[in-house]
């Protein structure tokens, strides 16, 4: 179930990129130049790819940006604010980058994270108007109990942790459950996410049925 939701998110992000690309042929209104996803990705370290089997070296990154494809990755979609990288040849793991622009100044935050697996990782970075790049803390992980319904308790043999992951429109919190024999499925009552408000990520909690 966790894998399916992560893979669905990957497909949805890729679809959002392709859909947005369809509107880029319209004449653009003159505006001050803004940093885009490609420029941001060029400046980022390759550390997020250390969480994938394929990895990514600086030389492979340059090849990926120049040709749209390296030995183990390809650019699956790209807009001004989003880049999606899919592994080759199976496209079952992805890394996605999404920009979040500040309304008060020229600073831009970027979330870059892994998609497609039961375990996810995300990094947050901020670039100011001068181009200086610094890491930013992710929101604190919520308690596992925040995902559960009223009077719902975890089975005594189940352990849990919570990860902050890349989501549609922002970040999301993803619980991971396991027992001594492997991964476990525990139904949850609530989804927890973090929506960008132009200054920071604001936490929201909503019933699972309303979030699908």
């Amino acid at each position: 179930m966790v894998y399916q939701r992560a893979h669905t998110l990957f497909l949805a992000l890729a679809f959002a990129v392709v859909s947005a690309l369809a509107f880029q042929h319209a004449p653009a209104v003159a505006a001050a130049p803004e940093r885009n996803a490609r420029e941001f990705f060029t400046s980022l370290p390759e550390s997020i790819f250390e969480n994938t089997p394929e990895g990514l070296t600086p030389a492979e990154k340059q090849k990926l940006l120049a040709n749209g494809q390296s030995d183990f990755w390809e650019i699956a979609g790209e807009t001004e604010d989003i880049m999606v990288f899919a592994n080759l040849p199976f496209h079952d793991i992805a890394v996605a980058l999404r920009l979040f622009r500040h309304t008060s100044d020229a600073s831009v935050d970027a979330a870059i994270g892994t998609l497609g697996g039961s375990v996810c990782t995300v990094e947050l970075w901020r670039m100011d108007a001068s181009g200086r790049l610094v890491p930013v803390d992710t929101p604190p992980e919520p308690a596992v109990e925040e995902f559960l319904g009223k009077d719902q308790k975890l089975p005594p043999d189940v352990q849990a942790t919570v990860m902050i992951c890349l989501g549609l429109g922002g970040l999301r919190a993803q619980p991971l459950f396991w027992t001594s024999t492997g991964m476990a499925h525990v139904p949850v009552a609530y989804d927890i996410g973090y929506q960008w408000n132009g200054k920071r990520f604001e936490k929201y909690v909503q019933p699972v049925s309303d979030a699908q």
Side-chain angles (χ1 to χ4, degrees):
M1 177 65 71
V2 172
Y3 170 81
Q4 290 177 337
R5 293 186 65 188
H7 190 62
T8 299
L9 179 60
F10 161 48
L11 295 176
L13 273 172
F15 178 77
V17 168
V18 174
S19 299
L21 284 171
F23 295 97
Q24 289 190 351
H25 299 292
V29 177
E34 293 185 321
R35 303 190 187 279
N36 58 38
R38 178 174 285 261
E39 180 181 0
F40 214 113
F41 180 70
T42 301
S43 302
L44 287 176
E46 301 80 26
S47 51
I48 193 68
F49 288 87
E50 296 173 2
N51 300 284
T52 68
E54 294 81 4
L56 185 72
T57 67
E60 290 171 333
K61 178 181 178 180
Q62 294 306 313
K63 183 178 180 181
L64 179 62
L65 286 169
N67 304 327
Q69 183 174 311
S70 65
D71 293 343
F72 302 108
W73 295 94
E74 72 173 2
I75 299 176
E78 180 178 1
T79 69
E80 287 296 302
D81 287 348
I82 299 173
M83 291 189 79
V84 179
F85 309 93
N87 69 330
L88 296 172
F90 301 112
H91 291 173
D92 57 349
I93 294 176
V95 171
L97 168 72
R98 184 167 189 139
L99 301 188
F100 301 91
R101 302 183 186 276
H102 287 250
T103 55
S104 58
D105 55 35
S107 298
V108 181
D109 282 19
I112 184 167
T114 57
L115 302 169
S118 58
V119 177
C120 63
T121 307
V122 70
E123 296 175 358
L124 289 183
W125 295 84
R126 178 170 299 155
M127 185 179 289
D128 62 19
S130 69
R132 184 174 68 101
L133 188 68
V134 295
V136 179
D137 290 336
T138 58
E141 297 88 353
V144 172
E145 289 74 18
E146 292 186 49
F147 294 90
L148 306 180
K150 183 179 180 180
D151 299 326
Q152 181 183 2
K153 296 185 181 299
L154 288 180
D157 62 332
V158 172
Q159 300 185 64
T161 189
V162 178
M163 304 167 290
I164 301 297
C165 309
L166 187 62
L168 290 174
L171 304 176
R172 63 190 177 90
Q174 177 175 306
L176 184 68
F177 303 100
W178 73 93
T179 68
S180 59
T181 59
M183 302 291 292
H185 171 63
V186 176
V188 297
Y190 298 98
D191 275 337
I192 300 176
Y194 303 86
Q195 199 77 22
W196 182 252
N197 66 4
K199 297 180 180 179
R200 65 184 68 87
F201 288 101
E202 287 187 339
K203 180 181 176 181
Y204 67 86
V205 180
Q206 59 188 12
V208 167
S209 58
D210 293 342
Q212 301 307 309

